[in-house]
Structure formats: C-alpha cells, structure tokens
Amino acid sequence: MKRSGKKAATDRNFVVALSRGLEVLRAFRPNDGLLGNQEIAARTNLPKPTISRLTYTLTKLGYLTPVPRFEKYQLAPSAMALGYAALANLGVRHLSEPYREEVMRATGGAVAVGGRDRLSMIYFGQCRNGLTLGVQLDVGSRIPIATTAMGRAYIWALPDDERTALLRELRDHYGSRWPKMRDGIERSGELVAKRGFTISAGEWQDDVHAVGVALQLNDGTGPYAFNCGAPAFRFTEDRLLNDIGPRLVAMVRNIEQALGGVAPQSRKAESKKSRSGGKVARVAEGI
C-alpha cells in the first residue's frame, strides 16, 4: 500500500527512491503501450526531472525499454517477469480455475478472482467467453472497490479495524460521491450477513450486473474475492439473488475447502448478525 508522505518521512526503514521507482512501473497499465516521461509524471504526481532520472535508471536495469523514435518507454521483459512470477505463486488462481470455468459454463457469466491494489481490485484470474461482458476485462485489469461486487465482498471480509481504515481512505478519495457509495457498501454488508454474497447491479457500469464472494485463507494471505458478472439483461436482480449468488458462494466454499481456507464468516455468525438487524453493516456509518 502507498504510504503517506508524513509516514514515509518519519520511517527510517522506508526507501523513498525505491518507492518512486516502483511508482513508475505501476504507471504502466494493461493495453497502454508506450508512455513518455510527461505522461508518467502526470500519473505518479512526481516531478518530471525525477521521472527522467528514474526512467533512465530503470532502463539501465532492464525494466524499461526506450523507444527513441517516440521518446517514450514500454515495460521490458524483466518487469513483466515480476508479474508472471507473482501470478505463478498464487495457488488460488490455479486451483480455482476449473471451478471458475464450471460456473462460467453453467451461468454464462464471466467469473474472475482478484485481490486488492490500493483502492481497486486487480484481476489475476479470469474465465469468460466472447459474449459475456461489454466491458472486456482480463488479467491485470483494475476495478473500483467501492462500487463493484468483488470490491464490496473484499471489504466485508476484512477485520473491523482494516475495514474502517479502508472506508476512510475511500471517503477521502471520493469526497462528495462517498455518501451514495457508502450506502451501497452498507447494503452489501447486510446481504453478506444474510446470504454470504454481495451484489452490484448497475452501480459500477450501468449495463453490468454482478455477484461477489470473498475467500479467506488460513495462511495469512488475502482476503481475495471472486465475482460473476454479465450484461444486466442476462443477470436480472432476481437471478443474482436466487441463482448466481448462491452458486458463487458454493463455488468459493469448495475452493476454500480445497485450499484449507477458512470462510470469512461461519453460518452461525451470519445468522447472529442477521438477527441483530444488520449490525455488521453499521460499521460503515459515520465514515
């Protein structure tokens, strides 16, 4: 996670130069192609002279490839190797693939697994066919935490203190748009307590409906989250609640069992929270 300037300045173990170099690499997004120093500076909020030194260094280290004709850069194989190595180490991605494909075939929806990247969820596994979504998402794609089913499932899988900290970050980031997003997150908390899944019906993309379910492992990693989405006309809200949601919950619980994971909430806990009138959702109130 990105540290604030104040924390970085007082943390003697924090290497600012390294963090800035990584920010440059993070500036490159899927399907970006080439980026120049000016574009990288705009994305990282770092001064252009600093960016020039960083891109020079990263080029010398083999993480960026210069394209002199356009005075721009692209990610080099060494940088991409880091991402592929990370993917290779995510056992949940490999083990969940047959489960995701089964649900994709049964529902006609795209089924993905992702983890948190700051205020977004990033896909590291995706199963879809050519008819699934108008918005084509693949491995490496980012979606917002606050308005998506995957992101909301992730929020409600966090420990209370971590969830509160994340909600504050979201509030500060979205400003005047936050109250409406907070209401959706609170509703999702109530649904998780009752049914074990979240829903985003047109709240991220008008024509996309999806269900989200969190996965918690007992090895200290994660939480991760899965989603299953499709165009709104194929995944009506009734189908989300009564077909897609329960199906995705069953899938994730099977994956947890296969990985030796622990469900974010037991059935007993869910029932207790449901009887308390949505107490779990009120964690977001006042934020």
Side-chain angles (χ1 to χ4, degrees):
M1 291 298 298
K2 184 177 181 180
R3 301 189 182 207
S4 67
K6 183 177 179 180
K7 288 184 178 180
T10 58
D11 189 344
R12 297 178 62 184
N13 293 318
F14 187 79
V15 182
V16 174
L18 174 60
S19 72
R20 289 177 172 177
L22 293 174
E23 286 297 308
V24 170
L25 295 179
R26 285 176 53 87
F28 290 83
R29 301 165 186 164
N31 303 318
D32 259 346
L34 307 177
L35 291 180
N37 285 336
Q38 186 170 346
E39 294 164 298
I40 296 172
R43 291 187 180 186
T44 60
N45 293 320
L46 292 172
K48 190 175 178 181
T50 299
I51 294 297
S52 297
R53 294 194 297 272
L54 290 170
T55 52
Y56 173 83
T57 302
L58 290 168
T59 297
K60 290 295 184 181
L61 293 173
Y63 292 107
L64 291 180
T65 299
V67 184
R69 178 182 175 186
F70 300 105
E71 296 184 346
K72 294 189 176 185
Y73 301 87
Q74 63 184 12
L75 288 178
S78 292
M80 293 184 285
L82 295 175
Y84 288 125
L87 288 176
N89 288 327
L90 284 169
V92 64
R93 173 177 180 260
H94 298 292
L95 187 142
S96 69
E97 186 171 4
Y99 295 90
R100 287 185 279 116
E101 289 183 347
E102 181 181 0
V103 171
M104 177 196 71
R105 289 192 295 268
T107 65
V111 185
V113 58
R116 181 183 173 187
D117 180 29
R118 300 188 179 180
L119 300 184
S120 302
M121 299 297 290
I122 185 168
Y123 280 22
F124 58 80
Q126 167 76 304
C127 293
R128 60 179 169 85
N129 57 41
L131 303 176
T132 307
L133 287 173
V135 179
Q136 295 299 312
L137 299 171
D138 212 332
V139 172
S141 295
R142 289 179 173 83
I143 59 174
I145 285 180
T147 56
T148 61
M150 177 184 281
R152 291 171 175 178
Y154 173 88
I155 288 172
W156 291 106
L158 290 171
D160 288 348
D161 57 340
E162 293 183 28
R163 177 166 56 249
T164 299
L166 173 56
L167 292 174
R168 284 173 178 159
E169 286 188 62
L170 292 169
R171 177 198 63 191
D172 294 343
H173 177 75
Y174 286 108
S176 62
R177 292 181 290 167
W178 170 242
K180 183 176 180 180
M181 294 179 178
R182 181 193 59 204
D183 291 344
I185 292 170
E186 288 176 354
R187 290 193 301 272
S188 292
E190 295 172 351
L191 190 57
V192 167
K194 295 177 182 178
R195 307 286 295 273
F197 58 86
T198 65
I199 282 177
S200 176
E203 294 167 86
W204 170 50
Q205 299 280 352
D206 290 341
D207 59 344
V208 175
H209 285 188
V211 163
V213 177
L215 178 145
Q216 191 82 35
L217 301 179
N218 60 11
D219 62 359
T221 61
Y224 303 109
F226 291 81
N227 66 12
C228 181
F233 72 90
R234 296 184 62 185
F235 277 12
T236 63
E237 292 191 49
D238 179 71
R239 190 179 178 199
L240 291 175
L241 285 169
N242 298 307
D243 177 21
I244 310 301
R247 193 185 296 270
L248 197 66
V249 169
M251 182 199 81
V252 174
R253 298 301 170 253
N254 287 335
I255 294 171
E256 282 174 340
Q257 185 175 10
L259 287 167
V262 179
Q265 299 173 353
S266 67
R267 291 174 182 261
K268 182 176 180 181
E270 289 175 0
S271 177
K272 182 178 179 181
K273 288 173 182 175
S274 177
R275 290 196 302 271
S276 69
K279 181 179 179 182
V280 61
R282 289 199 291 271
V283 173
E285 290 184 0
I287 293 177

